[in-house]
């Protein structure tokens, strides 16, 4: 007589892409890593697709023109959707300054039936320039850098994000908890 193996049920059966968009130094990556830690502790497969790492390994050679930024966002969106449709929560802390680029990524997810959430980390440019995690605002102010998103290059804020976070008014843990609550509400966490 053979025994039937126990089947463990996981209430979450699909992955999703959570795109955190916002200005440089808004807190996107910090929130994504905090959320990733929480989700991993719950046993969820998670990947953080950091924009700087993607530029180095997948989009090397691209500049910061509108066209190059669109290509970069499209590549990241492709990888995120691929991961998400295979059960991974793909957290994407990437500026993605243009609404049409973000919409193309959303549309790709919809066409494949893959959950996609857009989170606008809506930190004001004044706060971002004070944080200046990578020194970009200082370089721009010194005339050493042009094309800084939100300063001398456009950033098109999402009209209807799934969640809007004003990170200057809450802790990183509170911001990550807000995204986790959205995932739970949508049956994705």
């Amino acid at each position: 007589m053979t025994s039937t193996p126990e089947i463990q049920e996981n209430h979450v059966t699909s992955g999703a892409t959570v795109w955190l968009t916002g200005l440089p130094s808004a807190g996107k990556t910090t929130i994504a890593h905090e959320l990733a830690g929480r989700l991993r502790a719950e046993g969820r497969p998670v990947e953080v697709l950091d924009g700087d790492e993607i530029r180095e390994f997948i989009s090397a050679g691209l500049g910061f023109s509108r066209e190059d930024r669109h290509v970069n966002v499209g590549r990241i969106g492709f990888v995120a959707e691929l991961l998400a449709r295979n059960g991974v929560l793909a957290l994407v802390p990437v500026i993605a300054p243009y609404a049409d680029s973000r919409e193309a990524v959303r549309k790709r997810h919809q066409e494949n039936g893959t959950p996609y959430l857009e989170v606008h980390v809506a930190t004001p440019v004044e706060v971002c320039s004070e944080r200046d995690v990578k020194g970009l605002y200082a370089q721009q102010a010194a005339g050493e850098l042009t094309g800084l998103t939100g300063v001398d290059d456009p950033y098109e804020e999402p009209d209807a994000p799934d969640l809007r976070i004003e990170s200057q008014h809450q802790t990183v843990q509170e911001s990550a908890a807000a995204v986790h609550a959205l995932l739970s509400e949508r049956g994705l966490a």
Side-chain angles (χ1 to χ4, degrees):
M1 178 176 198
T2 61
S3 62
T4 306
E6 285 186 36
I7 298 172
Q8 288 188 339
E9 288 189 34
N10 183 351
H11 297 290
V12 181
T13 57
S14 71
T17 294
V18 179
W19 199 290
L20 295 101
T21 180
L23 296 174
S25 297
K28 302 176 300 297
T29 302
T30 305
I31 294 166
H33 282 291
E34 178 70 24
L35 177 60
R38 180 173 177 174
L39 291 165
R40 284 185 186 113
E42 295 171 357
R44 290 301 315 272
V46 178
E47 288 295 333
V48 177
L49 300 179
D50 181 85
D52 293 334
E53 292 175 1
I54 296 292
R55 274 202 173 268
E56 181 179 351
F57 296 107
I58 295 177
S59 293
L62 289 180
F64 291 90
S65 67
R66 184 180 182 104
E67 181 179 325
D68 282 358
R69 289 177 191 239
H70 183 74
V71 168
N72 185 48
V73 168
R75 289 176 181 175
I76 297 167
F78 172 81
V79 172
E81 196 278 328
L82 181 66
L83 288 167
R85 80 172 118 116
N86 283 284
V88 176
L89 282 172
L91 308 181
V92 186
V94 174
I95 296 169
Y98 303 113
D100 61 343
S101 297
R102 294 189 306 266
E103 185 55 34
V105 171
R106 180 186 293 276
K107 185 175 180 182
R108 175 179 184 76
H109 281 71
Q110 287 172 339
E111 288 169 356
N112 290 307
T114 307
Y116 176 88
L117 302 173
E118 184 177 71
V119 176
H120 181 204
V121 183
T123 311
V125 69
E126 300 79 22
V127 174
C128 294
S129 65
E130 287 174 20
R131 291 177 181 170
D132 204 8
V133 176
K134 298 174 190 169
L136 299 175
Y137 293 93
Q139 289 176 2
Q140 192 276 335
E144 300 166 3
L145 175 72
T146 58
L148 181 59
T149 301
V151 177
D152 60 351
D153 207 53
Y155 176 73
E156 300 169 356
E157 290 192 6
D159 289 330
D162 296 283
L163 178 64
R164 180 181 163 94
I165 292 174
E166 294 185 7
S167 70
Q168 73 278 16
H169 297 306
Q170 58 192 36
T171 67
V172 172
Q173 293 77 16
E174 290 169 334
S175 295
V179 181
H180 190 277
L182 175 64
L183 285 166
S184 296
E185 177 184 301
R186 302 282 173 94
L188 300 168

